[in-house]
Amino acid sequence: MTPLVRSVRSADTLTRDALAVLQPGFTGTTAPDWLLRRLGEGLVSVGLFGRNVADSAQLAALTGRLRAEREELIVAIDEEGGDVTRLEVRGGSSFPGNHALGAVDDTALTREVARELGRRLADCGINLNWAPSADVNSNPSNPVIGVRSFGADPQLVARHTAAYVEGLQSAGVAACTKHFPGHGDTAVDSHHDLPHIAVDLPTLQERELVPFRAAVAAGTRAVMSAHILLPALDGEHPATLSPAALHGLLRAPATEGGLGFDGLIVTDGMEMQAISATYGIERGSVLALAAGADAICVGGGLADEGIVLRLRDALVRAIRDGELPEQRLADAAARVRALAGRTRSADVGERPEPAPGIGLTAARRALRVTATGPYAPLAEPAYVAAFTPLANIAVGDETPWGVAAELARLLPGTETATCTGEAAAAAGTAALVDGLLTAAAGRRLVAVVRDVHRHPWMADALRSLLAARPDTAVIEMGVPQAPPQGAPHIATHGAARVCAQAATEALTGRRPSPGE
């Protein structure tokens, strides 16, 4: 009797393949010894976050040290521009986000912004960007997408997604279009729980999938899966763990209703509660690979050697136990290595010329000013009331937002107060507004809001403030879903630093001189 041969591959090969499919993170601004050691053992990808970035020179030195250990290496980052920035996590982005670009609706501008952002990434040694977001912002209550989306029209989102992919990849940085098959129609943040999307398949095809088809046609090198449950597609598994979503929809040819994508499929962060609290990270990673994912993103919250070893061993064990086909792991590892070779040293083709100031140009074009009557530009120090919602994890609370800093630069003496939902609940709306009026002491008020339509406490406070001081200027730095009110109302379509600068210029009628 011939014995059953379960594997013809060596244990070392399996281990190297298991390491190859991981995209882990780490802490600090220099490469830890454990990471360098694992690169030598087969790790092919590293994910960077804001905690790894001090400045561009440090970042270039860091990626150079990583490539000294493994030349063909994927160095990935989540740099959307706009509200989600890692390169400028402590100062705010020099580029407006997707919603601002969608508001302008000039694909040439979107392509140029993405090209310049890609050039900066490439100069720092980064060759995979977990961007753009191709989500259609079809649910105004969405707590995690919002201004990260180009808009609510699938066709608009599609043309700008394609332009962004083309611009980014023209700078030698691979795009990773996300969050497949579309995270726009959710009222739940998958960082905290598992969202359910109750749409039928025709709606999915006609709305959510339109931008992803455009991204595939534009040649996106990678696609990131979403931790969302679509019962019409798979009633049991979220998309990241669903063969129907990844193998059957994303990979399937167009003749079978699929997208025909043959590039790298990357999971969203596996430590997010939608996966970790439901399946566990190890089990979730095995299921994701089995469903068709090629690269396991982990490291936003878990960023040490322990998680790398846990996942490596879980994948090897799953193959030995017959839970994960050996060839599936080998194919996934081969795709990762192929992209690492293709984007070697983030130097594909001729590097584009710098386009200084393109981000501010785009932010200025995205601005929408609404006025019900005449108003005087700000010429004296003002009092800024920043109505601040709880930041979602994707954006983080490290990155500053608002107009106070920019306004104080133009009008020294400007002061600001931060107002939160907790403060409004504790003191009551009337007391909160009375406090602002007293502190303003007759100065012109500027109310800064963010997605006022999603926060009843914010809407109530703004309404009371405007009733008392109709000359209050209102700056909406989120999705401008609520009717405009204020003298004037300025919609920035995002909270990037350049959006704040553009809003301040509009409010004061002046631009800072080079020395200011």
Side-chain angles (χ1 to χ4, degrees), residues 374-411:
Y375 65 90
L378 274 178
E380 302 292 335
Y383 192 80
V384 179
F387 294 97
T388 305
L390 186 67
N392 70 59
I393 292 176
V395 174
D397 55 11
E398 281 186 283
T399 305
W401 74 285
V403 302
E406 295 294 333
L407 200 54
R409 192 170 340 189
L410 287 180
L411 301 174

Side-chain angles (χ1 to χ4, degrees), residues 36 68 86 98 277 455 511:
L36 299 175
R86 309 307 178 212
N98 286 2
H455 304 287
R511 294 181 178 181

